[in-house]
Amino acid sequence: MALLQVEDLAVSFVTRNGINTAVDGVSFTVETGRITAIIGESGSGKSVACYSLLGLVPRPPGRIDGGRALFEGRDLLQMKETALRRIRGRDIAMIFQDPMTCLNPYMSIGRQLMEPLRYHHRVSRQAARARALELLAEVGIRDPAATIDNFPHQFSGGMRQRVMIAMALINEPRLLIADEPTTALDVTIQAQILKLIAELQRRRNIGVIFISHDLAVVADIADTIVVMQRGRVVERGEGEEIFQCARHPYTKKLLAAIPSGSKAPRTEPAEPLIRVRNLCTWFAPGRGAAPVKAVDDVSFDIQRGEVLGLVGESGSGKSTIGRSILRLVPVTSGKIDFDGIDLTALRGRELKRMRRRMQMIFQDPFASLNPRMTVYDTLAEPLLLHGIHSRKHVAQGVLRLMDDVGLARAFVRKYPHEFSGGQRQRIAIGRALATRPEFIVADEPVSALDVTIQAQILELLQALGREYGLTMLFVSHDLAVVRHLADRILVLYRGEVVERGSGDELFERPQQAYTRQLLQSIPGATRGF
Amino acid sequence: MSTETLAEIARAERGTSLWADAWLRLRRNKLALIGFAVLSLFVVIALLTPWIAPYSYQAQNLELGASPPSAQHWLGTDIFGRDLLTQILYGGRISLAVGFVATAVALLIGVTWGAIAGYAGGRVDAVMMRLVDILYALPFMIFIVLLTVVFGRNLLLLFLAIGAVEWLTMARIMRGQIQSLRQQEFVEAAISLGLSPATLIRRHLVPNALGPIIVYTTLTIPSVMLLEAFLSFLGLGVQPPQTSWGLLISYGAETMEEYPWLLVFPGLALTLTLFCLNFLGDGLRDALDVRGARD
């Protein structure tokens, strides 16, 4: 008998605008000792399907319209809340996407770990603590005895996710639901966490549901893959099958969206547009404390029309370099020349004039747009500020920008929250291009987006780059994306450049151990994507 | 080159500000509209009081004394035989003026101060906020008494004095809001566009901090009205025969057992105003939150 058997599950949300079917007749099974991956983009119903099993979909507005979910023979959907509560966290545990928001910042991780154990099994404090220490060691926390009384902020993102996994496992669940557990993490950390989950699953012989939007991530670990689109299962198969012979067009699209290949290297060496020399950007964490050397003695050039990729894990200083060039953070020392003008010396009016020539596209399109400004206001602001259009003609400029980035003109009066992530990123790109800049810093512009949307946005960036003749600094932790787009790549580690070269050079002949480690962490690397 | 139809341009330009959109949304909120209408009516009545009041506010009728509501005196009379309706009308002039003017003063100073401190951060923030702390610590009564001693008793001064005290909390709320908004990427995006700090604060930061500010404002207006009553009671605010709602209520409270109407009617006037303010405040907050249902 399967550990979990979901049949014809249907969930809908009753909203002001009518009934919204989120999950429409979904069936899948999870076997003990196997990993079932559910793949789909946001809004495909993959999370709702799993959350509804545990009664975690708020009702109302949520509504379960039908189906069965047999967990060890008992139907979860028919259970009362009190019965479900005994199953949640004990027999079925969950790992969430963001380990920072899911841990209570005011409780030490030890206390948070002990809580589910004491709640479900009423064990003594000492026994719970011993068990917590054991588990922390099992999920790879170094020196658990010393760190168990630390608070979540004292751990890195990857370590927090390990703590979350330990918390999920502490009651020895038989089914683990992992909802995008690695999306918020760096590639290298992601690889470690994936390995950990696969290992734990084998060692403990439990069933795992792994929810993700990224086919490449699950490629190495999933036994069964279920592909969902708009609330329905469109394809399912054993791991290998899907990759070899995907049948459904949507699955093919997901596979094709995994970035691959590299750009042909450019040849013409000319006067660089940007020349960075011995750049240092240090932050003082507090009075008297040693400064954090976010960027330490970095030098590079960017040629006109070139896309320079900047890779490294978070904390490597890659974003800080982009922000330093744009003068968004104060530079400690060094020189940044833009077309022969020293940016670090500019003040006031001169700086404002230069800002027109260089712009930034941010990672999170939900945070980088002012929530109280419509598309019109957002796009009109730079046009008016830099006198590109007069107040009388600005509407035309706004509509043309919307055409350029592929947004329907009818949306002009809408606010950011009314758009999807991809559309928002288009607005943000439109804003950056409004001043007709020569240079763009793209700071992880697609890492907050679904894979299929990622491919669209990357395509748009490439097309606009050609059309506008842009020079670009493309910052990303995702080597595959960078290789696809960049002419040359710099690898950063702890604020310093450790390796540089064309995409092919780096991928085929990495010189540094760190670069090799990064390359091996790319999900699906072994499959040769 | 693409072309835009006139209709598309017109649609793009329609209602180009947050405020125009907010007004559209506010118009759909019945309760807020009623609140707004009643408050407007109160203000109009207050402005017209000298012409519509049934009696002079100084007219006493000691023989009549305190009398319950009757055909001549709709809301009754106080112990000196003065018409209560007239008193409430004249009192409303003072109370509404204090409430709105003092709050406007507090809003103006507090929002500006807090926004600048929160945006600048560092040393500027430290100095500005320590000043706020010092003013907090200063006993309010001594401050008012000093002002009265130096400048003499003066209604305008009273407004300013109250406003000058109430802005402190406003500044703190605003600073906190701005500090957290300051971290957001859209602020960085605005800086990289080349916006000046003043424009950035005005266009990007303040509109996003309005929610809590509006709620606090609707709470400040009534507390200011009560503060005025307290000051007047101590002899520092308005003096008889001039009056205010707060003063009427505090006198009414003293004689509550014998002449309950002296407490009930001024109390009703104040309560009604507060209700309307809260409805309007809630409505405004929702209207300014673009995430609220629009269609």
Side-chain angles (χ1 to χ4, degrees), chain A residues 323 372 386 409 413 415, chain B residues 8 15 21 188 193 204 288:
Chain A
R323 285 178 158 82
R372 290 177 194 242
H386 291 284
R409 289 176 175 180
R413 295 299 312 164
Y415 287 93
Chain B
E8 276 175 328
D21 277 350
E188 240 181 331
L193 284 181
H204 290 271
L288 283 167

Side-chain angles (χ1 to χ4, degrees), chain A residues 16-17 323 326-329 352 355-356 358-360 362-364 367-374 376-378 381-382 385-386 391-392 394-396 399-400 403 409-410 412-415 417-418 431 435, chain B residues 1-5 8-9 11-18 21-22 25 184-196 199 203-205 207-211 285 288-295:
Chain A
R16 216 190 307 259
N17 302 326
R323 285 178 158 82
L326 294 189
R327 289 283 309 272
L328 291 173
V329 293
K352 182 186 159 187
R355 289 207 184 282
R356 177 175 172 175
M358 48 188 202
Q359 285 296 313
M360 179 145 175
F362 294 84
Q363 169 174 7
D364 184 357
S368 69
L369 295 172
N370 185 337
R372 290 177 194 242
M373 278 167 78
T374 59
Y376 179 87
D377 293 330
T378 299
E381 183 165 55
L385 182 72
H386 291 284
R391 201 158 271 287
K392 222 169 121 192
V394 74
Q396 285 173 34
L399 293 175
R400 275 183 205 154
D403 293 344
R409 289 176 175 180
V412 67
R413 295 299 312 164
K414 287 194 182 286
Y415 287 93
H417 72 275
E418 297 171 81
R431 174 180 58 192
T435 61
Chain B
M1 199 70 223
S2 55
T3 52
E4 297 79 22
T5 64
E8 276 175 328
I9 291 177
R11 177 167 56 210
E13 286 175 334
R14 185 191 52 166
T16 46
S17 80
L18 178 68
D21 277 350
R25 278 191 293 272
Q184 300 224 11
E185 278 186 344
F186 72 81
V187 175
E188 240 181 331
I191 294 174
S192 76
L193 284 181
L195 251 63
S196 67
T199 318
R203 198 144 55 191
H204 290 271
L205 292 179
N208 279 292
L210 278 179
R285 189 195 51 200
L288 283 167
D289 184 1
V290 294
R291 270 162 294 218
R294 200 145 79 114
D295 304 299

Side-chain angles (χ1 to χ4, degrees), chain B residues 96-239:
Chain B
L96 290 174
V98 170
F100 289 125
V101 174
T103 305
V105 170
L107 202 62
L108 195 71
I109 306 177
V111 166
T112 316
W113 194 272
I116 292 173
Y119 182 81
R123 228 164 261 159
V124 179
D125 174 46
V127 171
M128 288 178 87
M129 292 323 282
R130 285 312 75 74
L131 200 75
V132 169
D133 291 344
I134 291 169
L135 287 179
Y136 252 122
L138 210 68
F140 170 66
M141 290 314 303
I142 293 183
F143 181 60
I144 301 273
V145 171
L146 271 178
L147 279 179
T148 340
V149 169
V150 176
F151 296 104
R153 204 161 46 222
N154 176 328
L155 261 189
L156 193 68
L157 191 69
L158 187 75
F159 294 172
L160 290 179
I162 295 178
V165 173
E166 290 289 331
W167 71 271
L168 299 171
T169 315
M170 202 78 91
R172 281 197 167 172
I173 295 176
M174 194 64 190
R175 169 177 172 265
Q177 289 283 318
I178 298 289
Q179 267 186 334
S180 68
L181 287 169
R182 180 86 177 76
Q183 310 292 331
Q184 300 224 11
E185 278 186 344
F186 72 81
V187 175
E188 240 181 331
I191 294 174
S192 76
L193 284 181
L195 251 63
S196 67
T199 318
L200 199 146
I201 291 175
R202 202 181 63 239
R203 198 144 55 191
H204 290 271
L205 292 179
V206 173
N208 279 292
L210 278 179
I213 290 295
I214 285 175
V215 172
Y216 186 71
T217 303
T218 56
L219 294 176
T220 302
I221 295 178
S223 86
V224 161
M225 289 182 181
L226 295 177
L227 197 59
E228 174 273 323
F230 173 62
L231 289 174
S232 301
F233 192 66
L234 292 180
L236 294 169
V238 294
Q239 289 306 305

Side-chain angles (χ1 to χ4, degrees), chain A residues 39-56:
Chain A
I39 305 294
E41 48 193 34
S42 30
S44 61
K46 57 190 193 305
S47 296
V48 173
C50 295
Y51 283 42
S52 62
L53 301 179
L54 291 177
L56 290 177

